[in-house]
Amino acid sequence: MKKVRNPVKSHFLLISTALLLVTGCSSAAAPPQSEAPTQSDAPASTEKNEPGQKSQPSNSTETAPKPTEGQAPVKTPPKSSAEPQKPAASTIPEEQKPSGKPSDSVQIPDLDLEVVAEPQSVTVLVNKQRQLPDNYQPTDLVFPNVPYLLPAKSEKRQMRKEAAEALEKLFAAAKADGVALAGVSAYRPHAYQKALFNRYVQQDGLEKARTYSAVPGTSEHETGLAIDVSGADGKCAATSCFAGTKEAKWLADHAHEYGFIIRYPEGKDAITGYIYEPWHLRYVGNEVAQAIEEKQTTMEEYFGIAPVSSEQ
Ligand SMILES: [Zn+2]
């Protein structure tokens, strides 16, 4: 489960897909720049947990604080616009698409990450310490009917059904407010993340690769519940200059009304493990999204999960 030993048999074609694969979103694959994520790449906790077994902190949403039921969406003041920080992806990475052909890839060592027990929960919490079961694949992926910067049939448009429906409402509401949004990248298949990460490990070694790319199973994009969003013009897509744009402001003000949160808020990188990503939306459902918005907190804090940094 948490083992990711299987050599990813992949051969990479150099394809400069530019924006399509912009994954400056640090839970994705940012360019190999050491300043991208602020999170250290120190090895994960050595505590070993059996897959599927509850361990501390609990994976289960059942033990999470119960949000108040039936709350109306609460409008809160906008979060302060971020000064553009260090670029998460000031240059667009030239992605190399795994082709599925065999190669002599390296093996990703067992990092002993905690494996989440309920990967199918819409409130599943994955981060640098908490990983989806190996080869987890959402079963209800659909194509949200919203504009994307991706080709029409790209599998990266997909999201889980509930999240997709919420996203359509969010986009429609933004449009009604004169804010034109576009999807940059949503679902990322586990095999893809694995192949991508593997390539980075081959290139830079494990320690360095972990500073800019998510270990397979730890990217929220693999849940089908996360999406990177930009303005319709695609400027600043998944990069730090998105902060402070009217699209970013709209999302900060309204995402929670549709069950989404800004998963990596400004100044919380010691808790989430990622620098501010105003473009990365995570669907958690209305109640949790509203509660997190009211508290101006993070998923980790809301669910009582240890900060990522404290475990390193
Ligand atoms: Zn993202």
Side-chain angles (χ1 to χ4, degrees), residues 79-102:
K79 293 167 184 151
S80 57
S81 299
E83 287 300 310
Q85 301 175 341
K86 294 173 186 174
S90 60
T91 56
I92 292 162
E94 188 176 278
E95 289 275 356
Q96 299 176 1
K97 190 169 182 178
S99 70
K101 289 183 186 172

Side-chain angles (χ1 to χ4, degrees), residues 19 21-26 29-33 35-37 85-93 212 236-242 275-277 279:
L19 272 182
L21 296 166
V22 169
T23 46
C25 184
S26 50
Q33 294 175 341
E35 73 270 26
Q85 301 175 341
K86 294 173 186 174
S90 60
T91 56
I92 292 162
Y212 62 81
C236 294
T239 58
S240 58
C241 67
F242 183 61
I275 59 166
Y276 182 40
E277 293 192 356
W279 60 86

